[in-house]
Amino acid sequence: MSTSLPRKPACRRVAMIDIPEPGEGGAHGFRHEEGHEAVLPLAAALARQGHAVDIYRVRTSAAQASCEDVQAGVRIHRVALPGPWPLDHHGRLSQTVMAFADAIKRAALQVWPCDVVHAWGALAGLAGLRLTAGRVLPLVWSPGAGVCQGALAGIASVLARRADAVLCRSEAQRERLVQRFGALQGRTRVVSHGCDTTQFRPRARGALRLSLGLPPDGLLVLWGQGASDVWATSGREAPPAYLPFLRALHKLPAHTVTLGDPARSHGAPLSAVGVHCLPEGWRGLRGAALRSAVCAAADVTVMPAAHWDPDHLCPRESMACGTPVLVLPAVGDEELRSLVADGAAGRMLRHAHPDALRDALRDWPQHPRAAATLDMGCLLRARTFFTWAKAAEHTFAAYEAARRPAATRDDCRPLTLVRCLPRPLGAQPAGVNA
């Protein structure tokens, strides 16, 4: 009697096109030259599961290597673009994208054929659509935040009709896209951000506070909203909605820190309410390294749900460091509620009021056993549900769904066979036999 072993998932070669959304400043009009933050860690997680990933990006300078091996199974190809992406006329944009897609094809001669083309953003999605033209290749599209604005709205509508699968960052984004583009119904999947738990791990908080120049004693609170978001909205001076909460924290025997550059804020300095701002490059730390150190050094992370962005990684990173999250509730905060899980990896206040926040944090250090339980719950939840390996599994499932034929892939209503009743005599068309 033979026992069948479980089948391993088939190895796929994925072509990921990673083009940042256009913005002001920077080379070629891009806001971030290195592309979207989720591309590289997701590709690394797919490679660890046995898949080969080729990432295609715009080459912004001659000093950049045209091809770079990041790790086993992940390679970055940088394709030169003669000029910036023109957004003033769709014809010029189409010609530029076609030229870029042809350049990708020439660079991809050694790695074709691939199984799935995954594109981030509207411009990348259009380039991926050009790549899959004439080939039986599924196109998976991950729309960015600004794909429905300005000149990119027309490109987004084309991708909504032609993409084989669409990956969203949250249920709210999925609902917005389906509401705007009815053709996406049945083809959207939610794949949230992962967290690198090997980097965001608990450390000795006392030593971290000393290395970061923070007070070694007392309750340390990490305010999850960025410094610029506290004071300004859309680049204009605005009344700080969370100033009463920051003042309530200032009245506690606690120290409050946040990430961001206070020089770019449009209001009064954060130091006026006792908030210590850590800009990029603080004590030589940048990016994920700085976020990891601050999350691990804090005792609790306060996250305002009203202005929470699903792309904001603070809750996941805080949980991966064993730091619980205290959420200020708001209307439509189901996404953040499911992320934190009240009582498992943090607390959800019943009312978003400064007094409620102050009462919740006043007794926080007096219950070390409860705090230790929350810390362990955060670690277990982050390492179970929010790793990049889990995100790669969900992404690979979307790839497999996109590879299925369209008749079985789309969630259409089932066909119903209707029996045709015989027509009455005299109603037959001329020339038709009875």
Side-chain angles (χ1 to χ4, degrees):
M1 182 176 180
S2 61
T3 58
S4 59
L5 297 176
R7 293 183 58 187
K8 295 180 62 177
C11 178
R12 301 293 182 207
R13 179 172 289 277
V14 184
M16 290 184 174
I17 304 177
D18 179 26
I19 303 177
E21 297 297 344
E24 298 180 358
H28 300 289
F30 292 127
R31 184 176 292 108
H32 303 291
E33 296 183 9
E34 289 303 320
H36 296 80
E37 188 177 5
V39 176
L40 194 56
L42 179 61
L46 286 169
R48 286 192 292 268
Q49 297 181 4
H51 311 295
V53 181
D54 297 282
I55 303 174
Y56 296 89
R57 288 176 171 169
V58 177
R59 190 178 183 184
T60 57
S61 65
Q64 289 182 326
S66 59
C67 185
E68 177 186 356
D69 289 325
V70 180
Q71 67 173 60
V74 179
R75 179 175 296 180
I76 296 179
H77 307 271
R78 293 184 175 88
V79 181
L81 190 64
W85 296 102
L87 295 178
D88 53 349
H89 190 269
H90 283 222
R92 288 180 55 205
L93 177 62
S94 177
Q95 294 175 4
T96 306
V97 173
M98 289 179 63
F100 179 65
D102 292 338
I104 292 180
K105 287 182 180 181
R106 290 193 297 269
L109 290 177
Q110 302 299 324
V111 297
W112 284 106
C114 65
D115 299 292
V116 178
V117 175
H118 189 173
W120 271 262
L123 296 177
L126 189 56
L129 192 62
R130 299 291 186 186
L131 279 177
T132 58
R135 294 177 178 267
V136 188
L137 288 176
L139 172 64
V140 177
W141 177 40
S142 290
V147 295
C148 300
Q149 301 176 1
L152 301 181
I155 303 176
S157 61
V158 173
L159 293 172
R161 296 191 303 267
R162 299 287 299 275
D164 298 284
V166 179
L167 299 187
C168 300
R169 298 292 175 83
S170 65
E171 290 289 347
Q173 184 190 15
R174 181 178 185 270
E175 292 178 2
R176 288 195 302 268
L177 288 173
V178 171
Q179 184 178 7
R180 184 176 180 88
F181 307 111
L184 291 180
Q185 184 70 37
R187 282 182 287 153
T188 58
R189 290 172 175 260
V190 177
V191 178
S192 62
H193 265 296
C195 186
D196 189 359
T197 54
T198 60
Q199 180 176 7
F200 293 90
R201 57 183 184 272
R203 301 179 179 91
R205 285 174 176 163
L208 272 177
R209 292 187 184 186
L210 291 176
S211 62
L212 292 173
L214 301 175
D217 301 324
L219 182 67
L220 183 62
V221 179
L222 171 62
W223 184 260
Q225 195 180 14
S228 59
D229 298 332
V230 174
W231 299 103
T233 304
S234 302
R236 296 175 299 177
E237 197 166 332
Y242 289 101
L243 183 59
F245 294 92
L246 296 176
R247 287 174 176 169
L249 292 176
H250 188 42
K251 294 178 182 179
L252 286 171
H255 311 283
T256 306
V257 297
T258 187
L259 297 176
D261 189 359
R264 298 182 180 180
S265 62
H266 295 266
L270 290 176
S271 58
V273 288
V275 179
H276 189 55
C277 189
L278 304 181
E280 185 74 6
W282 179 262
R283 297 299 176 98
L285 300 176
R286 297 182 178 274
L290 178 60
R291 298 196 305 269
S292 173
V294 177
C295 287
D299 295 299
V300 59
T301 298
V302 177
M303 196 72 211
H307 295 88
W308 177 70
D309 184 3
D311 290 341
H312 198 282
L313 303 183
C314 184
R316 300 178 184 88
E317 296 172 343
S318 179
M319 289 187 291
C321 293
T323 303
V325 182
L326 184 63
V327 180
L328 302 180
V331 178
D333 58 1
E334 291 79 8
E335 196 78 19
L336 191 55
R337 286 179 180 269
S338 61
L339 187 68
V340 174
D342 189 13
R347 293 280 186 257
M348 179 76 66
L349 293 182
R350 297 182 61 183
H351 304 287
H353 194 274
D355 294 338
L357 176 63
R358 186 172 58 249
D359 294 340
L361 293 178
R362 182 181 289 117
D363 298 333
W364 198 277
Q366 299 180 10
H367 301 282
R369 181 172 298 180
T373 303
L374 272 180
D375 293 351
M376 184 57 64
C378 292
L379 291 174
L380 292 177
R381 185 165 180 78
R383 295 177 181 178
T384 303
F385 300 105
F386 304 121
T387 62
W388 279 113
K390 185 65 66 174
E393 292 178 6
H394 295 164
T395 303
F396 181 73
Y399 293 163
E400 290 295 287
R403 286 174 54 84
R404 292 198 299 266
T408 59
R409 180 187 65 236
D410 295 339
D411 296 333
C412 303
R413 291 189 299 175
L415 297 177
T416 303
L417 298 178
V418 181
R419 183 178 179 181
C420 296
L421 298 177
R423 297 190 179 199
L425 292 176
Q428 297 287 349
V432 177
N433 297 329

